[in-house]
Amino acid sequence: MKFFVDTADIKEIRELNDMGLVDGVTTNPSLILKSGGKIDEVTRQICDIVSGPVSAEVTATDYDGMMAEAKVLAKIADNVTIKVPLTLDGLKACKAIRSEGRMVNVTLCFSANQALLAAKAGASFISPFVGRLDDIGIEGMDLISEIRQIYDNYDFATEILVASVRTVNHVKDAALIGADVITAPPAVLRSLVRHPLTDKGLEAFLADWAKTGQKIG
């Protein structure tokens, strides 16, 4: 399973990339706002760090506007993935952008039917938002299971990119189901390494090593 980091924080992206934990990056208007930078400049910086897909989202809601913005975003770098909303205009734009050879991430997916439409439109990635479903009392991971089954039934090439990931359990469950990608905030990715027994074991090893009075090297 691939790890994308869901942020526009250049420092965080660079640090996680250096650890080998970043296969791609997802951004959105809210993350660009939080970064304090301009979308073209921030996206270019990210693409200079990460060789994998970097999702940059259009803000237009009509087909013509999406296509115009997609052309601007595509010029930033070869690995820019155009991110479009799961609307009829977004699906139309997805098909057109894919026909030009550019990757497309269809976002704001909340149902299996929506995911089916995105795959039919040729989406490179579908982004179901599990955390937001959890917020309204619907099990987000059930949607991932449904999409996985549908895509496997018909051998769709669209990759399931689990979004709105908020916990380490979201990551584990996505991996168990067989999702292709998760995109998570830096804090969640860093939390994956943590376990109290690891900390306790390391503490005991270091205490015993200190008693030996030895040094390595």
Side-chain angles (χ1 to χ4, degrees):
M1 186 171 69
K2 288 177 278 192
F3 283 4
F4 288 5
V5 59
D6 193 36
T7 186
D9 185 316
I10 301 301
K11 181 175 179 291
E12 288 276 22
I13 292 169
R14 183 175 285 111
E15 289 180 358
L16 290 167
N17 188 65
D18 288 345
M19 294 178 196
L21 296 180
V22 178
D23 298 297
V25 175
T26 54
T27 69
N28 58 46
S30 298
L31 292 173
I32 294 297
L33 172 65
K34 190 175 180 180
S35 76
K38 295 182 177 179
I39 186 170
D40 56 340
E41 295 173 357
V42 173
T43 304
R44 185 173 292 107
Q45 285 181 283
I46 295 171
C47 290
D48 286 342
I49 298 168
V50 178
S51 59
V54 176
S55 290
E57 187 166 345
V58 299
T59 57
T61 57
D62 64 292
Y63 171 76
D64 290 336
M66 289 182 197
M67 293 303 295
E69 291 182 359
K71 285 181 170 56
V72 174
L73 295 173
K75 291 178 181 177
I76 295 174
D78 290 340
N79 57 324
V80 166
T81 296
I82 307 300
K83 198 173 183 183
V84 300
L86 215 162
T87 61
L88 289 176
D89 282 90
L91 293 172
K92 183 179 178 181
C94 172
K95 183 178 179 181
I97 296 166
R98 288 292 292 134
S99 71
E100 297 171 355
R102 177 68 59 168
M103 291 183 293
V104 177
N105 178 358
V106 178
T107 191
L108 292 171
C109 173
F110 294 97
S111 76
N113 283 335
Q114 289 179 321
L116 177 57
L117 290 175
K120 293 283 288 181
S124 309
F125 303 100
I126 182 65
S127 290
F129 279 41
V130 294
R132 295 195 191 183
L133 285 171
D134 290 348
D135 288 344
I136 61 171
I138 296 173
E139 180 57 58
M141 281 299 159
D142 287 348
L143 174 58
I144 305 306
S145 295
E146 290 172 355
I147 298 172
R148 180 76 280 160
Q149 182 174 339
I150 290 169
Y151 282 11
D152 288 348
N153 284 349
Y154 299 101
D155 201 26
F156 285 123
T158 300
E159 294 188 49
I160 302 171
L161 197 170
V162 182
S164 189
V165 168
R166 297 177 181 169
T167 69
V168 294
N169 282 339
H170 278 157
V171 178
K172 179 192 72 174
D173 291 343
L176 288 170
I177 291 167
D180 302 287
V181 193
I182 59 97
T183 186
V188 172
L189 292 181
R190 292 178 185 278
S191 294
L192 293 172
V193 76
R194 296 178 191 151
H195 195 285
L197 291 180
T198 301
D199 296 338
K200 186 176 180 180
L202 182 58
E203 182 182 353
F205 289 159
L206 292 177
D208 287 343
W209 180 249
K211 294 174 185 175
T212 71
Q214 299 180 51
K215 291 184 178 180
I216 299 176

